[in-house]
Amino acid sequence: MPEPLPEPLGLFGGTFDPVHFGHLRLAEEASGQLELAGVRWLPAGQPAHRGEPQVAPAERLDMVRLATAGNARFVVDAAEVEAAAPSYTVPTLERLRRELGAQQPLVLLLGADAFAGLTSWHRWRAVFDLTHIAVSHRPGFPVTAAALPSALAAELAARSADVAALRAAPAGRIVTFAMTQLAISATDIRQRLMAGRSVRYLLPDDVLDYIQTHSLYRNS
Ligand code: ATP
């Protein structure tokens, strides 16, 4: 009898500019529904091109640490923020594979919008050799073949699996899961803050306190 594989580990990357309850519920619900050993949060180092003002990677990292601090199953990986170079998903997955070993099932958690953009990633097909993917539903972003680039729709059709498959191999399958639908986005939060409007109850109070103390996402 071959040795059973270790429990699957969730990987959750994002800009988290700022982290909000949509992110937290995604990680929490993935953790429960996909029976993950834990979720490793991977804040991206190099911010995508966004409107001013820019928030430093170290501040986004601080906010993710504050938001996840109370959950023993969440671990924050600061490597991408600490690296000087821009972050790309495939090299990050290769690093984690080296660190965690060939047998560890990995599950990359993606919202439906992020999954739909997967073919634009550098060396995107290598992702399936490195990790499983779990796609969460997100308001406004259907996970259907018609809504995806054809090459990705073909991968989805070929790799679709159930939760049990995530424990049976280290990588290569795609599952979708329904989470509590929260139409919260960091873009909307930034816009509200810049307009001086309330974002309370869209993100954790500790994160809001940090934003206010550090005068982030202000026009002036
Ligand atoms: P922005 O509005 O700046 O693009 P965002 O709110 O989409 O930001 P990201 O940091 O880009 O946040 O997202 C990280 C991951 O979380 C992505 O996989 C994204 O699809 C997912 N995600 C973010 N918000 C939600 C949400 N409300 N429901 C489901 N998934 C979400």
Side-chain angles (χ1 to χ4, degrees):
M1 276 270 283
E3 288 271 304
L5 298 179
E7 304 250 280
L9 177 66
L11 306 174
F12 189 32
T15 327
F16 305 123
D17 187 20
V19 62
H20 55 68
F21 283 135
H23 300 132
L24 287 156
R25 284 305 306 179
L26 186 155
E28 177 71 1
E29 296 193 28
S31 190
Q33 290 186 48
L34 310 179
E35 299 165 18
L36 304 177
V39 175
R40 192 187 281 224
W41 291 61
L42 298 150
Q46 188 92 334
H49 284 293
R50 290 169 187 274
E52 290 291 323
Q54 292 278 345
V55 168
E59 290 172 323
R60 292 186 289 100
L61 172 66
D62 282 347
M63 292 189 278
V64 170
R65 285 195 166 129
L66 286 170
T68 56
N71 191 326
R73 295 215 281 182
F74 291 167
V75 171
V76 181
D77 183 327
E80 291 192 19
V81 167
E82 284 163 3
S87 0
Y88 293 100
T89 304
V90 170
T92 293
L93 292 171
E94 288 170 338
R95 166 176 69 82
L96 292 168
R97 213 5 112 202
R98 282 194 297 275
E99 189 184 313
L100 300 165
Q103 292 303 302
Q104 172 66 56
L106 297 174
V107 185
L108 183 66
L109 310 178
L110 295 175
D113 58 309
F115 179 67
L118 197 138
T119 57
S120 68
W121 298 1
H122 185 53
R123 293 170 53 213
W124 69 274
R125 286 180 194 276
V127 168
F128 303 112
D129 298 328
L130 293 162
T131 183
H132 299 297
I133 292 179
V135 188
S136 79
H137 296 173
R138 184 172 185 183
F141 299 96
V143 192
T144 57
L148 299 172
S150 56
L152 187 58
E155 294 288 354
L156 177 64
R159 297 176 181 281
S160 271
D162 58 14
V163 169
L166 303 177
R167 330 180 74 76
R173 311 311 299 263
I174 302 174
V175 301
T176 58
F177 68 102
M179 60 172 280
T180 306
Q181 296 289 274
L182 295 167
I184 303 174
S185 76
T187 302
D188 174 63
I189 289 173
R190 291 194 301 276
Q191 286 169 351
R192 283 174 196 256
L193 286 163
M194 278 186 256
R197 288 157 59 208
S198 167
V199 297
R200 199 171 172 200
Y201 310 128
L202 295 174
L203 38 63
D205 286 346
D206 285 353
V207 175
L208 182 53
D209 288 347
Y210 184 97
I211 288 170
Q212 286 168 343
T213 306
H214 294 253
S215 304
L216 305 182
Y217 308 107
R218 292 240 183 118
N219 270 321
S220 49

